[in-house]
Amino acid sequence: MFKGLRKILRVHFKVYRKITMSIDTNPEKIKELLERGVQEVIEKSHLETILKSGKKLRIYYGIDPTGSNIHMGHAIVLWKLRAFQELGHEVILLIGDFTARIGDPTDKESARQPLTEKQVKENMKSYKEQASLILDFKKTKIKYNSEWLSKLNFEKILEIASHISVQRMLERDMFEKRIKEGKTISLHEFLYPLMQGYDSVAMNVDLEIAGSDQLFNMLTGRDLQKIYNKKDKDVLTCQLLLGTDGRKMSKTFGNTIPLITEPNDMFGKIMSIKDELMGDYYELCTQLPMSQVNQIKQELQSQSTNPRDLKEKLAFEIVKLYHGEKEAEKAKTEFEKVHQKGELPSEIREVRLPETIKLSEMLHVSGVADSIGAGRRLIEQGAVEIDNEKITDWAKEIEVKDGMIVKVGKRNWFKAKLYPPK
């Protein structure tokens, strides 16, 4: 009897050892994991204890494909997910192909325009490829929440909805603001946090990671996980990255830096950020050791180093992270050539244009402006030059010459090509 018991215990011990040995419990790594770029952890002591115990956690981050690009705001969470991955934990990247069609009301002053299934599929077409710039997909599970959310019947949705009150929903800042301003709150917006919360239940996760703006949705998932799976789900929120214009980085504001931005443009966009944002960008967007990041923050505060030099270093580090050191060097050289020496870029794209065209239309046709109206605003702001001459009349008819150079803002150039050619 005792022989058999000893054998069973040995087998169980070997299995336990195999599981725990694959998990890195280095306290310094865990400390950085729970502090670098982190806004809040619920519950931190609980999560820290589990991480040090060697238990393998199931962790997820969800992205709604409301646009076609993953940007550096998303990347902060993806790098955090990668850090958990490197410690040996199970990582899930969840594509919210169902929730994207509802629309997350977080921070929105009006209801989102619903997306069709076709639009969502088109948006998420290259998400895995983009996320693979950070995550190791040999160790990453990718899931889509339409797998379970599209199968919920009305009875189940009512049951889930019974677990959250209208009063709690109305406590959300953006809903309070809309009520005060007399703006509409659609009923489907109340369902969004329930559906995102149910993702935790369906995947039975131990930890969810997202930006700090997602805290309400994540806590809803924490509540539902406790109700349906009888377990606590920890929550880790990352600091939000401000965009190139100083507002929250968002597709809505058009101030994002997509991960697939080509090196020269990525370098230029980083160089355009406000000086006061550099410390956050060093911490959130690079993989430099925190000791080095803190030293740079001190230099910024004391102004002991030229901010332009620190920004160039920042741009170099970020471009190197996504494109490699060789491309980062080339981007740095190109930036200095164009913006410090005043020379033309090495490569300027050609745009085919008719013999005459209104300037605002030209900007739209060239792809520099999303619309004729947007082109008009750029012209009125004094952002447009043709062959080094600034033009502020948006209605001006331009006589197109082969090879004329159009500059828009600090980073956009194109060369005119007559079509049909003379």
Side-chain angles (χ1 to χ4, degrees):
M1 177 181 170
F2 290 109
K3 270 189 178 181
L5 183 58
R6 279 199 299 270
K7 187 176 180 182
I8 291 168
L9 289 172
R10 275 199 303 270
V11 169
H12 280 286
F13 180 72
K14 282 179 181 177
V15 171
Y16 172 78
R17 200 170 159 208
K18 186 177 179 183
I19 292 169
T20 55
M21 279 179 68
S22 63
I23 304 299
D24 189 341
T25 58
N26 182 303
E28 288 303 313
K29 290 180 182 177
I30 290 172
K31 184 177 187 294
E32 176 151 337
L33 193 64
L34 297 181
E35 292 181 1
R36 181 170 185 166
V38 173
Q39 186 76 32
E40 190 172 1
V41 183
I42 303 169
E43 301 279 339
K44 186 175 181 179
S45 59
H46 178 256
L47 180 56
E48 190 171 11
T49 299
I50 293 179
L51 288 170
K52 288 178 178 177
S53 75
K55 179 185 174 184
K56 189 171 188 174
L57 300 180
R58 181 179 294 133
I59 303 160
Y60 97 96
Y61 168 48
I63 304 180
D64 280 358
T66 52
S68 59
N69 290 326
I70 293 177
H71 57 68
M72 285 187 188
H74 299 126
I76 296 164
V77 188
L78 289 173
W79 280 112
K80 189 63 68 178
L81 210 60
R82 172 66 183 263
F84 275 101
Q85 189 174 62
E86 289 178 349
L87 290 183
H89 297 285
E90 180 185 341
V91 159
I92 300 169
L93 177 65
L94 178 69
I95 307 298
D97 59 332
F98 189 93
T99 42
R101 290 159 60 192
I102 301 174
D104 184 359
T106 301
D107 292 340
K108 297 294 174 285
E109 294 185 3
S110 59
R112 282 182 182 269
Q113 189 68 29
L115 297 177
T116 65
E117 185 177 357
K118 184 179 178 183
Q119 286 173 314
V120 170
K121 283 183 176 177
E122 182 62 29
N123 284 343
M124 70 184 189
K125 200 159 55 177
S126 67
Y127 265 33
K128 182 177 178 181
E129 181 185 351
Q130 292 178 61
S132 67
L133 292 169
I134 298 170
L135 296 176
D136 179 357
F137 272 90
K138 290 178 183 176
K139 302 175 183 176
T140 306
K141 291 182 179 179
I142 187 163
K143 291 182 179 287
Y144 302 87
N145 63 13
S146 61
E147 292 174 21
W148 47 87
L149 294 182
S150 63
K151 294 172 185 174
L152 295 178
N153 58 29
F154 194 60
E155 182 181 1
K156 186 66 177 178
I157 292 170
L158 286 176
E159 178 198 306
I160 297 167
S162 71
H163 297 302
I164 190 165
S165 69
V166 171
Q167 288 92 331
R168 185 176 169 189
M169 283 289 187
L170 292 176
E171 287 171 3
R172 304 189 75 180
D173 291 346
M174 75 280 187
F175 286 157
E176 279 191 64
K177 186 177 179 184
R178 280 204 233 163
I179 289 170
K180 285 177 184 175
E181 294 176 355
K183 293 180 179 177
T184 301
I185 301 171
S186 298
L187 189 58
H188 77 278
E189 294 180 275
F190 277 11
L191 293 177
Y192 183 91
L194 294 173
M195 296 299 97
Q196 182 178 321
Y198 195 75
D199 290 340
S200 294
V201 176
M203 295 183 291
N204 197 16
V205 296
D206 301 296
L207 172 66
E208 180 181 2
I209 308 176
S212 59
D213 59 337
Q214 291 296 308
L215 182 59
F216 183 91
N217 298 333
M218 296 164 82
L219 291 178
T220 302
R222 179 177 163 86
D223 291 342
L224 294 178
Q225 179 73 316
K226 193 175 289 188
I227 292 164
Y228 285 101
N229 290 332
K230 311 298 183 210
K231 66 187 281 189
D232 289 321
K233 177 193 79 169
D234 289 312
V235 164
L236 186 151
T237 65
C238 294
Q239 294 174 29
L240 293 182
L241 184 69
L242 297 183
T244 52
D245 60 359
R247 293 182 292 175
K248 172 191 166 186
M249 187 171 282
S250 166
K251 295 183 285 286
T252 305
F253 298 142
N255 62 358
T256 65
I257 306 175
L259 300 190
I260 55 173
T261 305
E262 60 89 23
N264 290 344
D265 195 26
M266 184 179 282
F267 198 100
K269 284 184 175 182
I270 299 298
M271 291 298 294
S272 74
I273 67 169
K274 298 176 184 295
D275 287 356
E276 57 265 30
L277 297 180
M278 276 196 279
D280 285 345
Y281 269 71
Y282 266 108
E283 180 173 348
L284 302 175
C285 301
T286 76
Q287 293 298 294
L288 292 174
M290 275 307 296
S291 57
Q292 195 172 338
V293 170
N294 289 331
Q295 176 61 38
I296 291 167
K297 286 183 177 182
Q298 286 179 11
E299 290 174 28
L300 283 166
Q301 193 171 6
S302 64
Q303 298 182 336
S304 59
T305 306
N306 189 325
R308 189 192 66 193
D309 295 339
L310 290 175
K311 200 178 286 186
E312 274 199 355
K313 177 178 171 58
L314 173 66
F316 180 86
E317 289 295 333
I318 292 175
V319 174
K320 183 174 77 170
L321 196 58
Y322 296 103
H323 295 284
E325 189 163 359
K326 187 177 178 182
E327 290 299 323
E329 287 284 4
K330 285 165 64 177
K332 182 175 183 289
T333 301
E334 183 73 4
F335 184 87
E336 289 170 349
K337 172 188 173 183
V338 173
H339 296 280
Q340 292 175 19
K341 298 177 182 176
E343 300 175 20
L344 287 173
S346 302
E347 295 180 9
I348 302 178
R349 65 189 179 95
E350 288 188 343
V351 176
R352 290 186 171 191
L353 296 169
E355 289 186 7
T356 59
I357 185 172
K358 281 187 179 179
L359 185 53
S360 54
E361 292 176 12
M362 180 197 292
L363 298 188
H364 179 46
V365 168
S366 69
V368 170
D370 293 333
S371 63
I372 292 173
R376 174 179 174 174
R377 287 190 291 275
L378 285 168
I379 297 159
E380 289 175 338
Q381 290 163 9
V384 181
E385 295 178 10
I386 297 180
D387 288 337
N388 294 319
E389 180 187 348
K390 185 176 286 188
I391 301 177
T392 55
D393 180 2
W394 61 269
K396 183 179 177 68
E397 285 278 351
I398 304 297
E399 290 186 18
V400 177
K401 298 175 184 175
D402 247 345
M404 75 181 193
I405 302 295
V406 182
K407 180 185 177 186
V408 184
K410 293 181 179 179
R411 295 192 307 276
N412 282 314
W413 284 264
F414 63 87
K415 186 186 296 184
K417 183 76 174 174
L418 270 175
Y419 184 79
K422 288 186 177 180

